Amino acid sequence: MNDAPPLPDPLAQGWERFPDEGFIDLVGPIFTRRADGPLRSFGFVAERKHANLIGVVHGGMLMTLADRALGVSAWDAAGSKPSVTIQFDMQFLSSAKMGDFVSVAPEVVRLTRTLVFMKGSLQVDDRLVAAASGIWKILER
């Protein structure tokens, strides 16, 4: 018998699955939704596959969420021009547990002709889990 509580359902709370083939498809799904403002929020439900050796969400998964969320938001801020991560920093502040819904609402710190400076706080409900920041290079096609 499985006594684990049911996992949260982001779809029931206004989130949509973010289509993302490749690596993110392997570790996801990742969800997105628009809130106030031009940028989308992103999140995922912590499942057993996201655990580290002590049973909390692996820092690499938190970094993956932050890099994808801030990176997609950099593309959006750059007028849908492709942008690539050139610097990424993360501070881990507390842990996320299995069954938690971890979300991040990216913010543009500065936008230049060639760079997007981003930041975001990863949260479980109102509890801060990590802080991320980085710089994305806008690519000209």
Side-chain angles (χ1 to χ4, degrees), residues 59-71 85-92 118-120 122 130-136:
M61 183 57 196
L62 297 175
M63 293 177 81
T64 296
L65 172 66
D67 183 55
R68 178 56 86 224
L70 274 58
T85 309
I86 61 172
Q87 180 179 328
F88 184 82
D89 298 298
M90 188 93 167
Q91 296 79 43
F92 300 99
M118 301 290 304
K119 70 176 183 175
L122 284 73
S133 61
I135 305 169
W136 278 258

Side-chain angles (χ1 to χ4, degrees), residues 1-101:
M1 176 177 235
N2 186 355
D3 292 332
L7 293 176
D9 181 6
L11 298 174
Q13 297 183 8
W15 292 83
E16 298 175 0
R17 190 172 176 148
F18 184 72
D20 200 336
E21 295 178 4
F23 178 72
I24 299 300
D25 199 33
L26 293 173
V27 298
I30 288 181
F31 298 90
T32 186
R33 76 173 173 190
R34 294 222 181 256
D36 299 330
L39 300 180
R40 297 173 272 188
S41 293
F42 292 80
F44 76 99
V45 176
E47 300 177 37
R48 184 74 199 130
K49 67 182 177 180
H50 302 123
N52 64 13
L53 293 175
I54 61 172
V56 297
V57 176
H58 193 285
M61 183 57 196
L62 297 175
M63 293 177 81
T64 296
L65 172 66
D67 183 55
R68 178 56 86 224
L70 274 58
V72 168
S73 296
W75 280 49
D76 291 345
S80 298
K81 292 181 182 174
S83 304
V84 295
T85 309
I86 61 172
Q87 180 179 328
F88 184 82
D89 298 298
M90 188 93 167
Q91 296 79 43
F92 300 99
L93 305 168
S94 68
S95 62
K97 298 170 184 60
M98 298 306 103
D100 284 347
F101 184 74

